[in-house]
Amino acid sequence: RTELVLKEIMSSGGAEDDIPQAERKTVTDFCYLLDKSKQLFNGLRDLPQYGQKQWQSYFGRTFDVYTKLWKFQQQHRQVLDNRYGLKRWQIGEIASKIGQLYYHYYLRTSETSYLNEAFSFYSAIRQRSYYSQVNKEDRPELVVKKLRYYARFIVVCLLLNKMDVVKDLVKELSDEIEDYTHRFNTEDQVEWNLVLQEVAAFIEADPVMVLNDDNTIVITSNRLSETGAPLLEQGMIVGQLALADALIIGNCNNQVKFSELTIDMFRMLQALEREPMNLASQMNKPGMQESTEKPARRENPHKYLLYKPTFSQLYTFLAASFKELPANSVLLIYLSATGVFPSGRSDSEGPYDFGGVLTNSNRDIINGDAIHKRNQSYKEMHCLHPGDLYPFTRKPLFIIVDSSNSVAYKNFTNLFGQPLVCLLSPTAYPKALQDQSQRGSLFTLFLNNPLMAFLFVSGLSSMRRGLWEKCQDYLRKINRDIAQLLTHSRSIDQSFLQFFGDEFLRLLLTRFIFCSATMRMHKIFRETRNYPESYPQLPRDETVENPHLQKHILELASILDVRNVFLENTLDDY
């Protein structure tokens, strides 16, 4: 390819002797770097998706070549313009590839700071209008590159909660798609319109809180901040386990999604990440770190995001995580999936007799939440049964199941004596909330953003800024008190305390108890199936039905003037 480009340049630029040797070398070097970068980038898709070590050196080489290419085109822009005919969209393509590299590095490492790097490259493309001339060329494939860039940029902005930018990008993408379909009668216009519909539904899925003072919408980050998790009391004995790996699985029928992320997956992945920091100040490059600097904080747990996986895919990733789990570490499995129920009565009550949650079958599945088997003598094949997870309980396992058949996982048995906890969603919601399921689960919303979930069940969508801040402070106090209830409990199963040393798991456990206590006190949540459950069971009187916690919830309701939504004295109602 390099030879062809050079011949073309030489023939169009007159006699070969007219071109200085240095300029000819510049073009040759640029063509070499461009070829090498494309070759390495295309090779990324051949890397195994699971396993944390094999890909790193390849990614490193790809980054190096793209860094050289980017600097090279900056330093030699004039020569490349004159002799190579470098177009602005080609510079945009290089920047876009670097943005993609950073985004994929984030997916592989779970380090949120790489999202900021992807954002800065994608932003530069837009600010410098690198793709602006594409529409003047009669080449639909170039316009598709531009549309794909927009879709990728939107994903990064969603993950960084930059909702104002998202709205601008969606408007621009909509205009670009309209122009594209008007100019080129292509077959993919339906797909691009679907992309627009998906992102619009995704943005609308989150409950909105408007601050009346200046009519602004609250944008909250739900990642772990320095002050996010309740601190442990001094001398409190809890386990030293650390959350190292997580599988986040989304397989709900009809739930809004964008770019292979359902809204539940999107919420849960943020609950397992720290706030992004500036990479320039954080990266420990060789020779960069002064000895006086504090050691870097703990990393985010690594995670796999699996959208509608088959059983084989799910088991492969699970086995890879299990294999690579370091000592004294926890594997978290989050399942947001349609319930699969057993048909007929079973004489036994084993780990394959209660159904489970749906895995993808690579064929069209029946719509509706309950998938029933045709042949009653066999177990459902496209289903993750509790028994399927038994082999992995040889190491500490923390399971969250958000499903209409979450209770199947109540029938767990701890075979190996390792720490094991399952947090289980309600299996049904009151009628007033049932039409909300497309917008994501209320249970997962509580685990991701408990205040917003509390306001949602209280029917509130606007308030004064001061009140919002007061509620946030009060919720922090509630979290601290829940942490004390757990650690002071005399009858709680030790598994809960063994997980309590990890900040992420501590926050999930306190939010789970807040969610459960709120639902038990809410007037419209009156059936047992409306409440979350857990394995092992929590001692109710010391946690989810503790009078001290109930008092706090009523106090939060009073601050918001929604006390009428909650029962005054729930203990009398049982």
Side-chain angles (χ1 to χ4, degrees):
R1 265 183 293 178
T2 306
E3 297 298 318
L4 282 171
V5 170
L6 283 170
K7 275 180 189 167
E8 207 173 293
I9 291 163
M10 301 317 171
S11 58
S12 60
E16 207 173 303
D17 297 343
D18 294 349
I19 299 171
Q21 186 68 34
E23 291 188 10
R24 214 177 310 161
K25 185 176 181 332
T26 298
V27 173
T28 311
D29 290 352
F30 177 74
C31 289
Y32 170 77
L33 283 173
L34 193 61
D35 276 359
K36 188 74 182 158
S37 68
K38 285 177 181 173
Q39 191 184 335
L40 284 167
F41 192 89
N42 291 337
L44 289 173
R45 54 182 79 119
D46 299 328
L47 293 176
Q49 290 175 290
Y50 49 85
Q52 293 178 43
K53 301 291 173 274
Q54 304 95 316
W55 56 272
Q56 280 176 325
S57 60
Y58 191 94
F59 252 90
R61 288 209 309 280
T62 312
F63 260 119
D64 286 347
V65 170
Y66 269 97
T67 305
K68 283 178 192 161
L69 179 64
W70 185 251
K71 285 180 178 164
F72 194 88
Q73 62 82 24
Q74 283 178 319
Q75 289 161 355
H76 304 283
R77 181 74 57 82
Q78 197 156 7
V79 174
L80 292 170
D81 279 352
N82 295 340
R83 301 295 185 195
Y84 177 82
L86 185 67
K87 295 191 165 62
R88 287 188 69 72
W89 66 261
Q90 290 172 301
I91 302 167
E93 268 298 279
I94 298 168
S96 180
K97 289 277 199 298
I98 296 171
Q100 285 176 65
L101 271 178
Y102 274 118
Y103 175 66
H104 284 289
Y105 211 70
Y106 154 73
L107 289 179
R108 293 264 185 180
T109 61
S110 298
E111 175 47 70
T112 31
S113 304
Y114 291 117
L115 283 173
N116 284 334
E117 300 298 309
F119 177 81
S120 63
F121 271 89
Y122 285 150
S123 287
I125 293 170
R126 186 164 166 247
Q127 284 159 5
R128 297 171 194 173
S129 307
Y130 282 139
Y131 280 125
S132 61
Q133 300 302 305
V134 159
N135 295 19
K136 292 181 181 170
E137 302 205 24
D138 194 27
R139 290 172 63 188
E141 72 278 10
L142 287 186
V143 182
V144 169
K145 284 181 191 286
K146 185 179 187 177
L147 300 181
R148 283 185 180 151
Y149 149 73
Y150 269 107
R152 290 181 184 119
F153 193 6
I154 288 168
V155 172
V156 167
C157 292
L158 283 170
L159 287 164
L160 287 170
N161 291 302
K162 295 183 184 287
M163 299 314 286
D164 291 347
V165 185
V166 169
K167 281 170 186 164
D168 290 345
L169 291 173
V170 170
K171 171 80 179 73
E172 288 171 31
L173 177 60
S174 177
D175 293 344
E176 292 289 347
I177 290 170
E178 199 175 321
D179 180 66
Y180 170 65
T181 53
H182 181 69
R183 286 174 58 218
F184 308 102
N185 188 18
T186 58
E187 291 173 8
D188 59 353
Q189 57 190 49
V190 176
E191 288 165 43
W192 281 110
N193 283 321
L194 188 62
V195 168
L196 272 183
Q197 287 164 25
E198 280 187 355
V199 72
F202 202 87
I203 295 164
E204 283 169 23
D206 267 336
V208 170
M209 178 52 59
V210 178
L211 300 178
N212 297 334
D213 317 51
D214 46 9
N215 222 22
T216 54
I217 290 175
V218 174
I219 306 290
T220 56
S221 171
N222 303 308
R223 290 186 171 91
L224 183 64
S225 60
E226 296 300 322
T227 56
L231 294 171
L232 292 168
E233 294 171 278
Q234 228 170 350
M236 184 50 61
I237 297 168
V238 293
Q240 299 303 304
L241 297 171
L243 177 60
D245 219 328
L247 265 79
I248 296 179
I249 295 148
N251 199 359
C252 280
N253 297 339
N254 310 324
Q255 195 178 93
V256 296
K257 47 82 72 173
F258 184 59
S259 177
E260 305 234 313
L261 271 184
T262 65
I263 192 79
D264 278 355
M265 293 169 73
F266 176 71
R267 286 171 181 160
M268 185 47 63
L269 75 87
Q270 292 181 68
L272 302 178
E273 291 180 347
R274 297 171 196 278
E275 278 297 327
M277 289 181 79
N278 190 334
L279 261 191
S281 63
Q282 269 301 295
M283 292 298 277
N284 297 337
K285 289 175 184 156
M288 292 280 281
Q289 190 161 358
E290 299 292 324
S291 55
T292 52
E293 278 185 39
K294 289 180 189 169
R297 65 201 176 135
R298 236 188 64 207
E299 294 174 355
N300 289 329
H302 171 265
K303 55 190 174 307
Y304 291 117
L305 305 173
L306 302 180
Y307 173 67
K308 296 204 167 179
T310 61
F311 179 81
S312 308
Q313 287 168 327
L314 200 160
Y315 231 55
T316 305
F317 280 87
L318 196 46
S321 288
F322 181 82
K323 177 176 176 278
E324 296 194 343
L325 199 68
N328 301 316
S329 296
V330 182
L331 172 59
L332 181 146
I333 302 170
Y334 168 78
L335 296 162
S336 158
T338 298
V340 178
F341 297 90
S343 57
R345 291 192 62 78
S346 171
D347 296 334
S348 59
E349 291 203 340
Y352 287 88
D353 293 319
F354 297 95
V357 299
L358 188 70
T359 54
N360 201 358
S361 59
N362 280 341
R363 59 179 163 70
D364 287 336
I365 52 171
I366 310 147
N367 278 332
D369 205 40
I371 308 274
H372 296 283
K373 306 194 314 297
R374 291 198 184 95
N375 188 328
Q376 297 195 8
S377 60
Y378 297 117
K379 307 300 178 196
E380 172 59 58
M381 199 189 298
H382 303 293
C383 168
L384 188 76
H385 298 266
D388 293 325
L389 297 179
Y390 276 23
F392 304 102
T393 60
R394 287 176 169 83
K395 292 182 181 179
L397 198 60
F398 193 98
I399 302 167
I400 302 171
V401 186
D402 195 336
S403 172
S404 55
N405 192 22
S406 58
V407 289
Y409 294 80
K410 241 172 67 174
N411 306 286
F412 234 97
T413 309
N414 191 339
L415 297 174
F416 303 104
Q418 290 292 315
L420 171 67
V421 160
C422 303
L423 304 183
L424 311 170
S425 71
T427 54
Y429 291 99
K431 281 196 167 54
L433 298 172
Q434 278 170 6
D435 61 337
Q436 296 295 324
S437 61
Q438 265 188 298
R439 293 173 158 223
S441 158
L442 180 60
F443 177 69
T444 293
L445 184 61
F446 262 103
L447 297 181
N448 159 266
N449 189 341
L451 180 55
M452 204 60 107
F454 188 88
L455 297 170
F456 177 71
V457 296
S458 304
L460 293 171
S461 58
S462 66
M463 63 172 66
R464 295 188 327 280
R465 184 179 293 278
L467 187 58
W468 168 260
E469 285 160 4
K470 186 177 179 181
C471 289
Q472 282 186 306
D473 287 342
Y474 196 76
L475 191 60
R476 274 191 280 273
K477 173 181 164 48
I478 293 177
N479 265 342
R480 284 196 300 273
D481 284 3
I482 291 173
Q484 280 186 12
L485 288 178
L486 267 171
T487 50
H488 289 187
S489 167
R490 298 196 171 176
S491 55
I492 195 166
D493 188 283
Q494 285 304 297
S495 281
F496 290 101
L497 298 179
Q498 284 169 300
F499 289 129
F500 214 64
D502 181 89
E503 285 178 289
F504 292 105
L505 300 180
R506 184 157 73 244
L507 202 52
L508 286 171
L509 284 166
T510 53
R511 286 172 174 177
F512 172 79
I513 289 170
F514 174 70
C515 167
S516 197
T518 299
M519 287 176 176
R520 285 166 186 277
M521 292 185 71
H522 199 290
K523 283 180 180 172
I524 68 168
F525 289 77
R526 293 320 318 133
E527 296 179 56
T528 320
R529 61 195 192 130
N530 295 159
Y531 307 138
E533 302 211 35
S534 68
Y535 169 87
Q537 278 199 328
L538 283 162
R540 282 193 199 170
D541 54 334
E542 292 181 341
T543 56
V544 296
E545 287 174 10
N546 178 279
H548 182 62
L549 175 54
Q550 291 180 336
K551 197 172 141 217
H552 275 335
I553 287 171
L554 287 177
E555 183 55 35
L556 180 59
S558 295
I559 292 170
L560 291 161
D561 200 20
V562 290
R563 196 155 171 155
N564 60 318
V565 175
F566 294 91
L567 298 166
E568 286 294 322
N569 190 350
T570 51
L571 294 180
D572 295 345
D573 289 289
Y574 279 91

